[in-house]
Short mmCIF file of all heavy atoms in Angstrom, two decimals:
data_model
loop_
_atom_site.label_atom_id
_atom_site.label_comp_id
_atom_site.label_asym_id
_atom_site.label_seq_id
_atom_site.Cartn_x
_atom_site.Cartn_y
_atom_site.Cartn_z
N VAL A 97 1.44 12.57 18.64
CA VAL A 97 0.53 13.65 18.58
C VAL A 97 1.07 14.85 17.68
O VAL A 97 0.30 15.46 16.89
CB VAL A 97 0.02 14.11 19.92
CG1 VAL A 97 -0.98 15.20 19.79
CG2 VAL A 97 -0.64 12.84 20.67
N ARG A 98 2.27 15.31 18.01
CA ARG A 98 2.72 16.45 17.43
C ARG A 98 2.88 16.36 15.90
O ARG A 98 2.57 17.23 15.24
CB ARG A 98 4.13 16.74 17.98
CG ARG A 98 4.86 17.99 17.42
CD ARG A 98 6.11 18.24 18.22
NE ARG A 98 5.88 18.53 19.72
CZ ARG A 98 6.90 18.77 20.58
NH1 ARG A 98 8.11 18.91 20.12
NH2 ARG A 98 6.58 19.08 21.76
N ARG A 99 3.32 15.15 15.47
CA ARG A 99 3.46 15.03 14.02
C ARG A 99 2.00 14.96 13.43
O ARG A 99 1.83 15.49 12.25
CB ARG A 99 4.19 13.61 13.62
CG ARG A 99 4.25 13.34 12.19
CD ARG A 99 5.06 12.04 11.82
NE ARG A 99 5.31 11.94 10.51
CZ ARG A 99 4.49 11.12 9.77
NH1 ARG A 99 3.44 10.56 10.33
NH2 ARG A 99 4.77 10.94 8.46
N ARG A 100 1.17 14.28 13.98
CA ARG A 100 -0.27 14.21 13.31
C ARG A 100 -0.94 15.64 13.39
O ARG A 100 -1.49 16.07 12.50
CB ARG A 100 -1.20 13.34 14.18
CG ARG A 100 -0.68 11.81 14.08
CD ARG A 100 -1.96 10.94 14.54
NE ARG A 100 -2.09 11.11 16.03
CZ ARG A 100 -1.51 10.35 16.90
NH1 ARG A 100 -0.70 9.37 16.50
NH2 ARG A 100 -1.72 10.39 18.16
N LEU A 101 -0.55 16.44 14.42
CA LEU A 101 -1.17 17.78 14.49
C LEU A 101 -0.53 18.66 13.35
O LEU A 101 -1.21 19.44 12.73
CB LEU A 101 -0.66 18.52 15.83
CG LEU A 101 -1.09 19.90 15.89
CD1 LEU A 101 -2.57 20.08 15.79
CD2 LEU A 101 -0.64 20.49 17.36
N ARG A 102 0.79 18.51 13.05
CA ARG A 102 1.53 19.21 11.89
C ARG A 102 0.89 18.77 10.64
O ARG A 102 0.49 19.70 9.68
CB ARG A 102 2.94 18.94 11.92
CG ARG A 102 3.62 19.81 13.12
CD ARG A 102 5.13 19.27 13.25
NE ARG A 102 5.77 20.10 14.21
CZ ARG A 102 7.03 19.88 14.70
NH1 ARG A 102 7.54 18.70 14.40
NH2 ARG A 102 7.53 20.60 15.68
N LEU A 103 0.56 17.56 10.38
CA LEU A 103 0.03 17.06 9.18
C LEU A 103 -1.34 17.64 9.05
O LEU A 103 -1.79 18.05 7.89
CB LEU A 103 -0.02 15.59 9.13
CG LEU A 103 1.43 14.83 9.07
CD1 LEU A 103 1.14 13.38 9.09
CD2 LEU A 103 2.03 15.29 7.69
N PHE A 104 -2.13 17.57 10.21
CA PHE A 104 -3.50 18.20 10.05
C PHE A 104 -3.48 19.70 9.74
O PHE A 104 -4.19 20.12 8.81
CB PHE A 104 -4.19 18.01 11.47
CG PHE A 104 -5.42 18.67 11.58
CD1 PHE A 104 -6.67 18.22 10.88
CD2 PHE A 104 -5.69 19.93 12.38
CE1 PHE A 104 -7.78 18.78 11.19
CE2 PHE A 104 -6.85 20.42 12.48
CZ PHE A 104 -7.92 19.98 11.86
N LEU A 105 -2.65 20.45 10.41
CA LEU A 105 -2.40 21.95 10.05
C LEU A 105 -1.98 22.06 8.75
O LEU A 105 -2.63 23.11 8.03
CB LEU A 105 -1.49 22.53 11.01
CG LEU A 105 -1.94 22.59 12.53
CD1 LEU A 105 -0.79 23.12 13.39
CD2 LEU A 105 -3.19 23.52 12.64
N THR A 106 -1.11 21.33 8.11
CA THR A 106 -0.79 21.48 6.80
C THR A 106 -1.81 21.25 5.75
O THR A 106 -2.16 22.08 4.82
CB THR A 106 0.42 20.43 6.38
OG1 THR A 106 1.50 20.88 7.25
CG2 THR A 106 0.85 20.59 4.86
N ARG A 107 -2.65 20.16 6.08
CA ARG A 107 -3.85 20.01 5.19
C ARG A 107 -4.92 21.00 5.24
O ARG A 107 -5.49 21.47 4.27
CB ARG A 107 -4.43 18.59 5.48
CG ARG A 107 -3.59 17.41 5.04
CD ARG A 107 -4.44 16.14 5.21
NE ARG A 107 -4.90 15.83 6.42
CZ ARG A 107 -4.26 15.00 7.33
NH1 ARG A 107 -3.08 14.50 6.92
NH2 ARG A 107 -4.59 14.80 8.55
N MET A 108 -5.28 21.47 6.46
CA MET A 108 -6.17 22.59 6.66
C MET A 108 -5.77 23.88 6.03
O MET A 108 -6.50 24.59 5.48
CB MET A 108 -6.36 22.71 8.05
CG MET A 108 -7.09 21.66 8.89
SD MET A 108 -8.80 21.35 8.06
CE MET A 108 -9.57 22.84 8.41
N ALA A 109 -4.41 24.26 6.09
CA ALA A 109 -3.91 25.46 5.53
C ALA A 109 -4.04 25.42 3.96
O ALA A 109 -4.50 26.28 3.37
CB ALA A 109 -2.46 25.73 5.92
N HIS A 110 -3.70 24.25 3.48
CA HIS A 110 -3.73 24.08 2.04
C HIS A 110 -5.21 24.12 1.47
O HIS A 110 -5.44 24.84 0.55
CB HIS A 110 -3.16 22.58 1.67
CG HIS A 110 -2.94 22.44 0.26
ND1 HIS A 110 -3.84 22.37 -0.67
CD2 HIS A 110 -1.76 22.35 -0.51
CE1 HIS A 110 -3.28 22.10 -1.94
NE2 HIS A 110 -2.06 22.07 -1.77
N ARG A 111 -6.01 23.56 2.24
CA ARG A 111 -7.52 23.53 1.88
C ARG A 111 -8.13 24.99 2.04
O ARG A 111 -8.83 25.41 1.01
CB ARG A 111 -8.34 22.60 2.77
CG ARG A 111 -9.68 22.34 2.37
CD ARG A 111 -10.47 21.31 3.22
NE ARG A 111 -9.75 20.06 3.30
CZ ARG A 111 -10.06 19.16 4.15
NH1 ARG A 111 -10.90 19.21 5.13
NH2 ARG A 111 -9.25 17.94 4.08
N SER A 112 -7.72 25.56 3.03
CA SER A 112 -8.25 26.98 3.28
C SER A 112 -7.87 27.91 2.15
O SER A 112 -8.62 28.69 1.64
CB SER A 112 -7.86 27.44 4.62
OG SER A 112 -8.40 26.69 5.62
N ILE A 113 -6.52 27.97 1.82
CA ILE A 113 -6.05 28.88 0.83
C ILE A 113 -6.64 28.54 -0.58
O ILE A 113 -6.90 29.36 -1.20
CB ILE A 113 -4.44 28.77 0.94
CG1 ILE A 113 -3.88 29.29 2.06
CG2 ILE A 113 -3.84 29.59 -0.40
CD1 ILE A 113 -2.43 29.05 2.27
N THR A 114 -6.69 27.25 -0.78
CA THR A 114 -7.20 26.88 -2.13
C THR A 114 -8.76 27.28 -2.23
O THR A 114 -9.11 27.70 -3.24
CB THR A 114 -7.11 25.27 -2.26
OG1 THR A 114 -5.69 24.92 -2.28
CG2 THR A 114 -7.73 24.87 -3.69
N ARG A 115 -9.45 27.01 -1.15
CA ARG A 115 -10.80 27.52 -1.20
C ARG A 115 -11.04 28.92 -1.29
O ARG A 115 -11.94 29.51 -1.99
CB ARG A 115 -11.52 27.07 0.18
CG ARG A 115 -13.05 27.33 0.32
CD ARG A 115 -13.58 26.68 1.57
NE ARG A 115 -13.37 25.21 1.47
CZ ARG A 115 -13.75 24.51 2.50
NH1 ARG A 115 -14.30 24.96 3.52
NH2 ARG A 115 -13.64 23.19 2.43
N LEU A 116 -10.15 29.78 -0.66
CA LEU A 116 -10.20 31.21 -0.83
C LEU A 116 -9.80 31.68 -2.21
O LEU A 116 -10.53 32.53 -2.84
CB LEU A 116 -9.35 31.92 0.25
CG LEU A 116 -9.51 33.37 0.50
CD1 LEU A 116 -10.98 33.67 0.99
CD2 LEU A 116 -8.53 33.91 1.38
N GLN A 117 -8.89 31.01 -2.74
CA GLN A 117 -8.56 31.29 -4.16
C GLN A 117 -9.84 31.25 -5.13
O GLN A 117 -10.01 31.84 -5.97
CB GLN A 117 -7.46 30.38 -4.54
CG GLN A 117 -6.08 30.78 -4.04
CD GLN A 117 -4.99 29.80 -4.31
OE1 GLN A 117 -5.14 28.64 -4.60
NE2 GLN A 117 -3.62 30.22 -4.07
N SER A 118 -10.48 29.99 -4.81
CA SER A 118 -11.66 29.68 -5.76
C SER A 118 -12.81 30.66 -5.40
O SER A 118 -13.64 30.79 -6.33
CB SER A 118 -12.08 28.22 -5.33
OG SER A 118 -12.76 28.27 -4.05
N ARG A 119 -12.80 31.33 -4.27
CA ARG A 119 -13.81 32.31 -4.14
C ARG A 119 -13.51 33.73 -4.63
O ARG A 119 -14.35 34.66 -4.68
CB ARG A 119 -14.25 32.43 -2.64
CG ARG A 119 -14.89 31.24 -2.10
CD ARG A 119 -15.06 31.34 -0.61
NE ARG A 119 -15.89 30.24 -0.12
CZ ARG A 119 -16.23 29.97 1.10
NH1 ARG A 119 -16.05 31.00 1.97
NH2 ARG A 119 -16.88 28.90 1.48
N ALA A 120 -12.32 33.97 -5.03
CA ALA A 120 -11.78 35.20 -5.53
C ALA A 120 -12.50 35.54 -6.91
O ALA A 120 -12.77 34.69 -7.76
CB ALA A 120 -10.39 35.37 -5.83
N ASP A 121 -12.72 36.84 -7.14
CA ASP A 121 -13.16 37.29 -8.48
C ASP A 121 -12.04 37.17 -9.44
O ASP A 121 -12.36 37.02 -10.65
CB ASP A 121 -13.77 38.64 -8.43
CG ASP A 121 -14.97 38.71 -7.42
OD1 ASP A 121 -15.97 38.20 -7.78
OD2 ASP A 121 -14.84 39.29 -6.33
N LEU A 122 -10.88 37.18 -8.95
CA LEU A 122 -9.68 37.09 -9.91
C LEU A 122 -8.51 36.80 -9.05
O LEU A 122 -8.26 37.18 -7.94
CB LEU A 122 -9.40 38.60 -10.56
CG LEU A 122 -8.08 38.66 -11.45
CD1 LEU A 122 -8.30 37.65 -12.64
CD2 LEU A 122 -7.86 40.03 -11.72
N VAL A 123 -7.70 35.80 -9.57
CA VAL A 123 -6.33 35.54 -8.97
C VAL A 123 -5.33 35.89 -9.89
O VAL A 123 -5.20 35.54 -11.05
CB VAL A 123 -6.31 33.93 -8.67
CG1 VAL A 123 -4.81 33.53 -8.04
CG2 VAL A 123 -7.42 33.44 -7.74
N VAL A 124 -4.45 36.77 -9.42
CA VAL A 124 -3.27 37.33 -10.14
C VAL A 124 -1.92 36.36 -9.76
O VAL A 124 -1.67 36.26 -8.69
CB VAL A 124 -3.03 38.78 -10.02
CG1 VAL A 124 -1.70 39.18 -10.62
CG2 VAL A 124 -4.14 39.44 -10.45
N THR A 125 -1.37 35.73 -10.79
CA THR A 125 -0.20 35.04 -10.52
C THR A 125 0.89 35.69 -11.20
O THR A 125 0.69 36.52 -12.10
CB THR A 125 -0.23 33.61 -10.88
OG1 THR A 125 -0.16 33.51 -12.38
CG2 THR A 125 -1.50 32.99 -10.38
#
């Protein structure tokens, strides 16, 4: 369970940050 939870959190964090980047009016790198 612990490993599956970590994999789930990693995927969700990746997806959330990517989605927020796509909603930005500008991304500065």
